[in-house]
Amino acid sequence: MDTATTGQPGKDAAAVADLEKLPIERVLAALDTVPGAGLSAAEVDRRLNQYGPNAIIEKEKSLAAKLLGCFTGPIAYLIEAAAAISAFLGHWEDFAVIAALLLFNAALDLWQDLKASNALAALKKGLAPVATARRDGTWGHIAASTLVPGDIVKIRLGEIVPADLRLVGGDYAAIDQSALTGESLPVAKKIGDGAYSGSVVKQGEMEGVVIATGSHTFFGRTARLVAGAGAASHAQKAMFQIGNFLIVLALTLAAVMVAFRVYRDIVVADSWSTADALRILQFVLVLLVASIPVAMPAVFSVTMALGALALSRQKAIVSRLEAIEEMAGVDILCSDKTGTLTKNQLKLGDPILFAARDGQEVVLAGALASKAEDRDAIDTAVIEALADPGALKGWKQTGFTPFDPVTKRTTAHVTAPDGRQIVVSKGAPQVIADLVKADAKAVATVHETVEALGARGYRALGVARSDDAGATWRLLGILPMFDPPRDDSKATIDLARAKGVTVKMITGDDTAIARETARQLGLGTNIIAAADAFPKDMDPNNVPPHIVDAIETADGFARVFPEHKYAIVKALQGRGHLVAMTGDGVNDAPALKQADCGTAVSGATDAARGAAALILTSPGLSVINSAIDEARRIFGRITSYTIYRVALTMTIMFLVVLSSITLGFQPLTAVMIVIMSLLDDIPIMTIAYDNTPVTERPIRWRMARLLSVSAVLGLFSVAQAFGLLLIGMEVLSNPAWNAWFALDDRDHLQTAVFLQLVVGGHLLLFVTRTERWFFLPPFPAAPLFGAIAATQVVAALMCGYGWLVPAISWGTIAAVWAYNLVWMVVLGAVRLATERTIDNRTAGRQRSASIVTQSLQGNVPLRPKSMS
């Protein structure tokens, strides 16, 4: 760690020193500290003022600022405008309903915002609360937050490393830093090695000098990435675009309408009064009310909440609702290896025999050189490999020397069941080969075996036995060890690929281990070591294009740190990919939060769970595919609702303006518009239960296509509504027709238009909810169909009995229904034709772009040969 990078230089000499790699003597000199004495109290105070506390400092946004943010954005502004308009007109019932929807949406947004700080709060829990430090020559317990660079500290079994250290004293320590680096086993440490803040001491006791504290530690840099991570929800972006589209459309139509009314009243009629101005204002307000899809955010939220409920039944907890919608478009899944794709349980392969008669002889000797009560991962794997669990009965350990990074082996003195005394040892194969004084040929064989196993991602453990108290040794064999893939991992990956999702493995383990795991899972073996791909001083937020190219083509990454995982996710997002990320450690937290759908797997740390949007409570990744399917169903429901709602909103706005300009008639009252909005939107929330097919490929917001389809359907729906209005005008002027339809005046015509929009709106939903003809499966779900049917009954009764609107005859109600059913077929054909036309044009442009690209690469000629 370069101190210039960490921002924590000591003296001038330390300002440019690389405290992670310099010899210990130079580190101590740079930090101006002595291990035997530590820092003085006065020097600690000075450095504490200079460097700040050894803690993660989080910039908190006030609750008021968070609350205010929930009431901003195009859709929020539209809803607030609707509430203000309702209050201005004195329609307090409408105001209450609209305000309730606004508060409901704001409450959901605030809840999500408050949960966003969970990751940093969980990270803070991973820091050591106290530390043992030597100051003024005396050891004592101090608050870890008061540590400064240059402090001398002691770490021992079970403790959390309180800051980034270089180890300066002691014999040996095994430190579990898997949550930070992703390595699957505790790392053996010796004098001169580093230890990261937040890692846990599993064995031994050592002393170290603090080289970085607070946000400048490895742990702190991870926390900084978490604080800055996070991708904007595509659903929120879509609602912004839809809101902006409707605002521009509404303001344009309002301007047209005002200009027309002013021209007619002032220029043509040559009369103007305050009453005229108020009528124009009221008309504009009615138009704006009509343009506001007040229930859209609520429909989005309810639909995703029900999807979250469905996933909870499959043991997946959704902590950020928008992530469900994001999962529908995910085309790349970045997965951690250890504990996610693999079992995180070392297993022994078939023993490679040297002097042993059979494999179990090697395993038994290795088990005798282990200590079960230490719960060491390697010892546990060897003991569990015994074919007979009772094989150790009768054997007695009389002495045991644990592994240390100098000798690189364990040794046990054992009494056999028959009373014989033997010595067994297991450790690094090269060390065991030296122990047995193997000849050159045997040593070469050991080296070749270890290299072959290493190339396949296996760790190797040599086992030896002595029957003469250690005077001479026999090399019994070599035990291959590996972390096997989970039983369901390959099937999960294959199924994800069938859904159009590319899977990339990201791990802190060595490249050979990653490559072998990827080979077994069928992921491909183009595994990139992070150190080879990422420059040390690279900004993870701005990855160079040539590195992004490598990231896109890689099958996986090895030896990665938290900033690498974060950079990989963000670089892929920068290329237009929607990225899901799975992981379980502190090192995964930044990438989990940055990903479009971060997924914490079973057994994840609090930091990973706090950063993730989806939390799996059962082992493995198999539920990911269920989440993808559910997300694609939800996305289909949301897009079908969006097309319906935008088209219906356009219908109402254009109808009001067109009728006003051409017929001088206001087709709807403000009360009718609000009632219609409620009748249209509240039952439509049951679309969350609809039967929706699962697409074979990732789907995402294609706003140009969506708004184009909505606009075409909206314009045809305007023709439908305006056509009924013209028919109504003809009925009013034709006594014969008037007698049959019983339309007494324009007030009753308004009721007929109101009914047409309510009926036509719901029939339009049946057209938009499927990409096929509306009469083909999948058919509407019972809750959706029942809610719409009940709404239509209410609307018919309102119009038939005159509840809140002038009553019209049942014959007129039947005629309106027949008229809408005919138009339903027309609109179904219009939608299919529009989508087919758009898709054909898109495919044509893509083919043209592909031809141009290939021609530039020299693969195909840009023109036919006859034209060249």
Side-chain angles (χ1 to χ4, degrees), residues 411-485:
T411 304
H413 294 262
V414 185
T415 302
D418 60 6
R420 287 181 299 120
Q421 302 290 319
I422 68 168
V423 186
V424 287
S425 184
K426 74 176 192 306
Q430 295 89 338
V431 172
I432 298 298
D434 291 340
L435 179 68
V436 302
K437 297 181 174 60
D439 57 34
K441 183 177 180 181
V443 170
T445 302
V446 169
H447 279 281
E448 290 172 2
T449 301
V450 172
E451 287 179 4
L453 291 173
R456 294 176 53 200
Y458 283 74
R459 293 179 172 86
L461 195 67
V463 180
R465 170 172 169 163
S466 172
D467 295 314
D468 54 7
T472 60
W473 292 83
R474 289 184 301 133
L475 174 60
L476 298 180
I478 292 177
L479 298 175
M481 296 180 298
F482 64 103
D483 179 12

Side-chain angles (χ1 to χ4, degrees), residues 690-693 769-781:
D690 196 20
N691 298 320
T692 308
R769 62 169 290 276
T770 174
E771 294 185 353
R772 310 172 67 193
W773 277 103
F774 56 83
F775 49 77
L776 297 175
F779 299 114

Side-chain angles (χ1 to χ4, degrees), residues 4-35:
T5 300
T6 64
Q8 292 205 113
K11 299 285 185 178
D12 291 343
V16 293
D18 189 341
L19 300 183
E20 240 184 12
K21 295 180 180 178
L22 280 176
I24 285 296
E25 296 78 13
R26 291 186 59 189
V27 171
L28 294 171
L31 293 171
D32 194 17
T33 190
V34 179

Side-chain angles (χ1 to χ4, degrees), residues 657-807:
V657 174
L658 193 60
S659 174
S660 174
I661 292 176
T662 61
L663 302 176
F665 174 61
Q666 185 173 321
L668 297 166
T669 65
V671 171
M672 286 179 177
I673 288 176
V674 174
I675 294 172
M676 185 172 59
S677 296
L678 296 177
L679 290 176
D680 278 332
D681 275 335
I682 292 179
I684 298 305
M685 288 189 184
T686 55
I687 199 172
Y689 297 97
D690 196 20
N691 298 320
T692 308
V694 177
T695 60
E696 295 180 356
R697 312 300 296 175
I699 52 176
R700 59 179 66 183
W701 289 99
R702 291 188 288 170
M703 197 53 63
R705 183 181 189 274
L706 184 147
L707 292 178
S708 296
V709 173
S710 299
V712 172
L713 287 176
L715 292 176
F716 272 85
S717 296
V718 171
Q720 174 188 2
F722 196 70
L724 181 81
L725 184 58
L726 291 177
I727 293 172
M729 288 292 190
E730 183 63 27
V731 169
L732 288 177
S733 62
N734 188 317
W737 288 17
N738 193 298
W740 195 89
F741 285 104
L743 284 178
D744 297 331
D745 51 34
R746 290 191 171 195
D747 290 344
H748 292 85
L749 179 55
Q750 286 179 326
T751 301
V753 172
F754 164 79
L755 179 63
Q756 186 278 317
L757 289 172
V758 173
V759 174
H762 282 172
L763 294 183
L764 178 63
L765 179 66
F766 290 138
V767 170
T768 64
R769 62 169 290 276
T770 174
E771 294 185 353
R772 310 172 67 193
W773 277 103
F774 56 83
F775 49 77
L776 297 175
F779 299 114
L784 175 63
F785 188 83
I788 290 178
T791 302
Q792 293 306 319
V793 169
V794 170
L797 292 174
M798 285 179 62
C799 296
Y801 289 105
W803 300 340
L804 301 177
V805 297

Side-chain angles (χ1 to χ4, degrees), residues 285-372:
L285 295 180
V286 169
L287 179 63
L288 291 178
V289 169
S291 71
I292 301 169
V294 291
M296 179 175 281
V299 170
F300 276 39
S301 298
V302 169
T303 304
M304 288 188 283
L306 288 173
L309 180 62
L311 288 175
S312 70
R313 299 190 187 103
Q314 301 182 48
K315 298 184 178 180
I317 301 169
V318 178
S319 63
R320 186 169 64 89
L321 287 179
E322 292 89 347
I324 300 178
E325 175 264 335
E326 304 284 11
M327 183 65 86
V330 162
D331 59 333
I332 292 181
L333 170 62
C334 295
S335 177
D336 183 37
K337 177 186 78 71
T338 307
T340 302
L341 296 176
T342 65
K343 296 180 178 179
N344 196 20
Q345 298 172 356
L346 281 180
K347 297 292 182 183
L348 261 59
D350 295 331
I352 298 169
L353 306 182
F354 282 76
R357 297 183 300 274
D358 57 55
Q360 281 300 301
E361 182 181 354
V362 185
V363 175
L364 177 61
L368 292 172
S370 305
K371 207 163 188 177

Side-chain angles (χ1 to χ4, degrees), residues 545-602:
H546 70 280
I547 297 180
V548 182
D549 292 339
I551 290 172
E552 277 197 295
T553 57
D555 298 313
F557 309 87
R559 303 301 301 170
V560 294
F561 284 169
E563 56 265 34
H564 299 145
K565 295 189 178 187
Y566 171 85
I568 289 167
V569 170
K570 190 151 190 179
L572 291 171
Q573 289 173 328
R575 286 286 172 91
H577 297 286
L578 286 186
V579 184
M581 171 75 195
T582 68
D584 61 353
V586 172
N587 61 324
D588 298 309
L592 288 173
K593 190 177 176 188
Q594 177 62 35
D596 297 290
C597 185
T599 304
V601 299
S602 175

